[in-house]
Amino acid sequence: MDLQHWLGRAADAIQEWAETFGPYEPHPALHIDDDRFAAVFEEFTGRLRDNYPFFHPSYAGQMLKPPHPAAVIGYLTTMLINPNNHALDGGPATARMEREAVARLAAMFGYDTHLGHLTTSGTIANLEALFVARELHPGRGVAYSADAHYTHGRMCRVLGMKGYPVATDDRGRLDLDALEDVLRTGQVGTVVLTTGSTGLGAVDPVHEALALQERHGVRLHVDAAYGGFFTLLAGADGPEGLPPEPWRAIARCDSVVVDPHKHGLQPYGCGAVLFRDPEVGRFYLHDSPYTYFTSTELHLGEISLECSRAGAAAAALWLTFQLLAPTPDGLGRVLGAGRRAALKWADLITASDTLELYQRPELDIVSYFPAVQPASLTAVDAASARVLADGMAAPDPVFLSTFRADREAFTARHPRTTADADGARVLRSVLMKPESEHHVERVHDRVEQLTRSHRPGALRV
Ligand SMILES: *Cc1c(COP(=O)(O)O)cnc(C)c1O
């Protein structure tokens, strides 16, 4: 796809449509000279250079990458009209696209019925799921793993619900025995299961938690904000295939959240929440005097806590799904490449004598640290922080991120490390770009070099 060509076509298409409504005078109050614009644009693009190269495979840090060109064209074209998906009157075309895109997400998770919509983010999507959970279980709290996204605790406070963080096992997954201890108190109405934790990509055992629904009368909500699209690799042939059980079990949970702005190739402003029982729409009912006049159908704004939402976000997702469908042979191929890259790197680290794996990647997040002598948390922390900083400052830079492991988590995985601090930062790389598959050896070599250059007595490179 030639971005410049399609940007031009986008402007033409909207212009042609606009012209069908007849001519009018642009107001001088909005007029900007090209010369003035050029000067400001120069400064603007200059300032934008102060960024990390999220697009480049040597950026192997946080969960960040640019959207697919199809999403960019979808977003920008629609933005020229600027529909608001709050109501059908705000944008009939994009409201329909939102319904279709959301239905494809529901099909991806195997939901046979659903009510759902896009949101501004995973945080808001989770807030909506917990809001519905509170309406159904008033007075009862929410249990989530200690490694769940930090916003669950925050959103519980917003909703006036008590949050119950539950211990994780030695791979970062929710410990079901610890969970049952909490559920036996009868204080919890909802359990959040995370399929793909943000830190390490750990997948909670959703299939084993299903029995809790009946046994303790709880709702099950799945936070798949980061990991959701990995369901496309469930049971796949090849090294990238994932054990299918937790992913298939999502279809039997009450709600699920996924962020198309993470692995769905979308720009920011695109989360999604899906409920299995469409009846929960009743909790959103409101009576707006302004917004609805053209239809008696349930508007998206009537099933969403947010009011204005970008129709362009729905359009971008719809257009992307026409080209790279949320199916194993569509988007699944994109995720498969990132996952193979993560596995390849894990093997290189296992064979390395300067780096150690923190734990094996479950999805596409690789966690590792420089092998230090003597092995202590303080030394691991300092060495990780140094490699992170040196990697970014080097002439041939590599961009990583760090993840803080607490003492218990670290020593559960590496019992021989001296626990002389309450935790340590380790290095963390999210390999969410398919290009990483053919670049990961280079990134590994760079990280090994950076690690070696700090060993006492080592030759500086
Ligand atoms: C990213 C993430 C969130 C928060 O989503 P935002 O879109 O950043 O608000 C919640 N849960 C998990 C598991 C995530 O990875």
Side-chain angles (χ1 to χ4, degrees):
M1 277 185 67
D2 175 351
L3 196 62
Q4 274 176 356
H5 169 78
W6 290 108
L7 282 174
R9 288 288 301 270
D12 292 345
I14 302 305
Q15 182 67 27
E16 263 169 46
W17 170 77
E19 280 166 7
T20 65
F21 297 93
Y24 65 98
E25 273 302 307
H27 196 284
L30 295 174
H31 179 77
I32 307 279
D33 271 348
D34 267 341
D35 285 350
R36 257 188 79 212
F37 188 79
V40 176
F41 191 71
E42 185 82 5
E43 183 194 348
F44 168 69
T45 50
R47 291 182 70 145
L48 282 180
R49 295 179 69 92
D50 181 18
N51 256 309
Y52 300 107
F54 306 125
F55 66 93
H56 198 283
S58 65
Y59 182 89
Q62 310 276 10
M63 227 169 255
L64 289 161
K65 70 170 176 186
H68 192 276
V72 173
I73 297 297
Y75 201 103
L76 292 177
T77 311
T78 312
M79 203 180 60
L80 296 171
I81 304 171
N82 204 26
N84 183 335
N85 270 20
H86 171 65
L88 279 177
D89 313 315
T94 49
R96 274 191 287 275
M97 288 181 194
E98 176 164 342
R99 282 180 198 286
E100 289 172 33
V102 166
R104 294 191 92 150
L105 291 173
M108 176 179 83
F109 289 117
Y111 271 29
D112 40 14
T113 57
H114 74 276
L115 182 79
H117 58 275
L118 301 180
T119 61
T120 297
S121 67
T123 302
I124 298 296
N126 279 314
L127 171 70
E128 300 215 9
L130 295 185
F131 158 71
V132 165
R134 185 193 70 182
E135 300 304 290
L136 285 161
H137 289 305
R140 292 167 77 192
V142 181
Y144 41 80
S145 102
D147 284 2
H149 200 266
Y150 74 93
T151 50
H152 289 289
R154 174 185 286 180
M155 289 307 156
C156 281
R157 290 206 298 283
V158 170
L159 290 164
M161 302 165 92
K162 192 161 165 12
Y164 296 82
V166 175
T168 49
D169 68 11
D170 62 6
R171 283 165 63 190
R173 299 169 302 191
L174 182 79
D175 179 333
L176 286 179
D177 292 331
L179 175 63
E180 281 228 76
D181 288 344
V182 176
L183 296 185
R184 272 189 217 102
T185 65
Q187 304 291 308
V188 168
T190 302
V191 174
V192 175
L193 300 157
T194 303
T195 51
S197 62
T198 317
L200 298 170
V203 178
D204 286 346
V206 183
H207 52 301
E208 291 168 15
L210 288 176
L212 304 172
Q213 274 173 313
E214 298 240 316
R215 201 180 308 148
H216 297 282
V218 291
R219 276 179 79 74
L220 296 181
H221 168 61
V222 179
D223 181 0
Y226 150 65
F229 287 101
F230 280 97
T231 195
L232 299 172
L233 301 183
D237 295 334
E240 69 273 22
L242 296 171
E245 297 82 5
W247 304 99
R248 304 269 186 263
I250 295 175
R252 293 168 61 199
C253 294
D254 298 291
S255 50
V256 59
V257 156
V258 61
D259 263 355
H261 68 206
K262 285 183 179 148
H263 275 89
L265 308 176
Q266 300 306 296
Y268 286 116
C270 196
V273 61
L274 302 167
F275 297 96
R276 198 176 54 168
D277 177 8
E279 285 290 304
V280 301
R282 69 186 184 279
F283 297 120
Y284 286 100
L285 278 186
H286 62 89
D287 188 10
S288 160
Y290 333 101
T291 35
Y292 315 118
F293 56 87
T294 52
S295 151
T296 52
E297 210 183 311
L298 200 63
H299 289 248
L300 288 164
E302 287 175 298
I303 53 162
S304 161
L305 288 184
E306 295 176 88
C307 182
S308 296
R309 287 178 308 113
L317 185 61
W318 184 89
L319 186 59
T320 308
F321 278 177
Q322 299 305 108
L323 300 154
L324 290 164
T327 52
D329 56 356
L331 259 182
R333 291 179 51 223
V334 179
L335 279 98
R339 168 125 175 90
R340 286 193 299 273
L343 293 173
K344 197 193 286 183
W345 197 1
D347 289 342
L348 291 169
I349 293 170
T350 305
S352 160
D353 29 84
T354 64
L355 292 169
E356 272 187 59
L357 260 193
Y358 177 67
Q359 73 172 47
R360 259 198 95 69
E362 276 193 56
L363 302 175
D364 63 0
I365 300 177
V366 187
S367 52
Y368 51 100
F369 57 90
V372 284
Q373 283 303 333
S376 70
L377 290 181
T378 309
V380 166
D381 183 81
S384 298
R386 216 160 40 213
V387 170
L388 174 78
D390 289 358
M392 288 191 281
D396 175 15
V398 58
F399 302 87
L400 314 170
S401 73
T402 55
F403 167 80
R404 193 175 183 288
D406 67 24
R407 175 211 303 257
E408 290 70 31
F410 198 105
T411 50
R413 292 162 175 86
H414 302 277
R416 288 200 301 275
T417 303
T418 308
D420 62 344
D422 59 5
R425 278 169 291 179
V426 298
L427 293 162
R428 164 180 174 271
S429 291
V430 186
L431 301 184
M432 67 192 309
K433 291 182 289 278
E435 289 79 10
S436 291
E437 185 171 16
H438 303 303
H439 201 81
V440 71
E441 284 98 342
R442 280 201 56 194
V443 174
H444 173 75
D445 288 349
R446 287 292 295 122
V447 177
E448 274 203 322
Q449 274 170 23
L450 290 161
T451 308
R452 266 194 222 107
S453 68
H454 278 291
R455 294 200 141 179
L459 218 58
R460 291 228 156 219
V461 281

